[in-house]
Amino acid sequence: MNISDPERPWTRVEWSALVVVLGLELVMGVVGNCIVLLIKIMCRGQYPCRYWAPFISLTLSDLGSSLLIISGSLVAILTLDQRSPWCEMVSLLKFAFITSSIGSIAVLCVQRVIGLASTVRGISIAMALACLTSWLTGVVFGSIPVIYDWIRYDPAEMLCAVFWESSYSDMLVYILCAFSICIFLPLTLMLLCSLLTASGCGRSCDSEDLSSVTPLVVASYLLCYTPFAVSEMILLGRFDLSPAPDWLRTLSSVMSYMDCGLNPLIYFTNQNFREAGLALLWTHKKSFSDPVLTSIAGLDL
């Protein structure tokens, strides 16, 4: 069986650095996405945003990943283990969050090209269903390894992951199906629509709209999930079913977690969104700048 060595694959210094990095990513992901979600809900009419469904779906995905997956990895690296049933649940949720994130970004990119605003009732329902489909697809494909008992704790990834102990053909069929439907299809839409928008074919390229941050969101996702894709490609190329090197699997987890904390920062690069957030903070503070009339005194002249 190709299960990793149960001992941690890092030195003491590396272990300490990972704890600090995961802690920072956890705080950034939870606090940042909570603030973003609060602004999107409470300040909805204070900044232009034509595409609500994919933005809300992406924020929920990032928040869920921060609360459940990053925290689970932080606990696992401290205890050097992850136990059932949380082990299987983490593996399922991680795949669901990855799929929902890329699906939401793909929907956003498609909407920008064809200019379909979420304010139209029919379009809003269709886009919401598309985002929901990406969530359900991730749950379905994330459940298959759990059902077939392919889940083991991987110290290098700092969470429970899929390990193959049956045959190369089973792994090949599953990964090709999962990646073709959950990753390659939305990735193709994402890249194609991004190129069309960059070339001026998009109908909604207003710099004031929140969708103007889409290129940065796409670039962040591609950057952060490249190590994950490379590790999966290495696995496909090895007939002995051995996983990618430990350092690459650790890097893939750290980088994928980073995306959850970067997205809130990217949203704040939009001036109107940033001003709406600042206005939300200031309106909750009591102002003492205005004079208050407390009494009137009459003067005899």
Side-chain angles (χ1 to χ4, degrees), residues 183-259:
I183 305 297
F184 293 148
L185 178 59
L187 181 62
T188 301
L189 290 174
M190 181 194 304
L191 295 177
L192 179 61
C193 293
S194 297
L195 291 175
L196 290 175
T197 304
S199 63
C201 297
R203 297 183 183 179
S204 177
C205 299
D206 188 358
S207 60
E208 295 184 356
D209 193 89
L210 183 59
S211 62
S212 63
V213 304
T214 302
L216 290 176
V217 172
V218 171
S220 174
Y221 191 92
L222 295 178
L223 174 65
C224 293
Y225 280 94
T226 295
F228 172 76
V230 172
S231 64
E232 294 298 321
M233 294 301 102
I234 291 177
L235 177 61
L236 279 175
R238 292 182 173 179
F239 294 97
D240 60 351
L241 303 179
S242 59
D246 289 346
W247 67 268
L248 181 58
R249 303 206 306 280
T250 301
L251 179 64
S252 67
S253 292
V254 172
M255 291 295 292
S256 62
Y257 297 158
M258 186 184 299
D259 185 61

Side-chain angles (χ1 to χ4, degrees), residues 32-255:
N33 285 288
C34 284
I35 293 176
V36 167
L37 197 59
L38 187 65
I39 295 174
K40 287 180 179 179
I41 294 175
M42 299 188 64
C43 305
R44 183 168 178 171
Q46 300 181 23
Y47 62 93
C49 181
R50 301 184 63 190
Y51 315 116
W52 283 97
F55 273 119
I56 293 295
S57 177
L58 181 59
T59 302
L60 291 176
S61 177
D62 290 338
L63 180 58
S65 182
S66 300
L67 283 173
L68 301 176
I69 309 303
I70 301 181
S71 62
S73 290
L74 183 59
V75 173
I77 198 176
L78 293 174
T79 60
L80 303 179
D81 196 10
Q82 240 176 18
R83 308 233 176 234
S84 183
W86 180 240
C87 178
E88 291 79 9
M89 186 60 66
V90 164
S91 177
L92 188 157
L93 290 175
K94 182 181 181 182
F95 199 92
F97 289 138
I98 291 175
T99 305
S100 62
S101 294
I102 192 172
S104 300
I105 298 174
V107 171
L108 176 61
C109 293
V110 171
Q111 281 191 278
R112 289 193 80 213
V113 169
I114 59 181
L116 296 177
S118 297
T119 53
V120 181
R121 181 174 177 80
I123 299 303
S124 177
I125 295 175
M127 294 301 103
L129 289 176
C131 294
L132 179 61
T133 300
S134 67
W135 281 85
L136 295 178
T137 304
V139 171
V140 169
F141 278 96
S143 301
I144 293 176
V146 176
I147 295 173
Y148 286 94
D149 196 25
W150 293 338
I151 307 300
R152 300 289 184 275
Y153 174 66
D154 183 10
E157 288 194 42
M158 301 168 290
L159 78 164
C160 289
V162 178
F163 279 88
W164 304 97
E165 302 168 5
S166 52
S167 66
Y168 181 82
S169 60
D170 293 340
M171 178 204 69
L172 183 64
V173 170
Y174 172 77
I175 289 184
L176 288 180
C177 290
F179 268 62
S180 297
I181 297 174
C182 302
I183 305 297
F184 293 148
L185 178 59
L187 181 62
T188 301
L189 290 174
M190 181 194 304
L191 295 177
L192 179 61
C193 293
S194 297
L195 291 175
L196 290 175
T197 304
S199 63
C201 297
R203 297 183 183 179
S204 177
C205 299
D206 188 358
S207 60
E208 295 184 356
D209 193 89
L210 183 59
S211 62
S212 63
V213 304
T214 302
L216 290 176
V217 172
V218 171
S220 174
Y221 191 92
L222 295 178
L223 174 65
C224 293
Y225 280 94
T226 295
F228 172 76
V230 172
S231 64
E232 294 298 321
M233 294 301 102
I234 291 177
L235 177 61
L236 279 175
R238 292 182 173 179
F239 294 97
D240 60 351
L241 303 179
S242 59
D246 289 346
W247 67 268
L248 181 58
R249 303 206 306 280
T250 301
L251 179 64
S252 67
S253 292
V254 172
M255 291 295 292

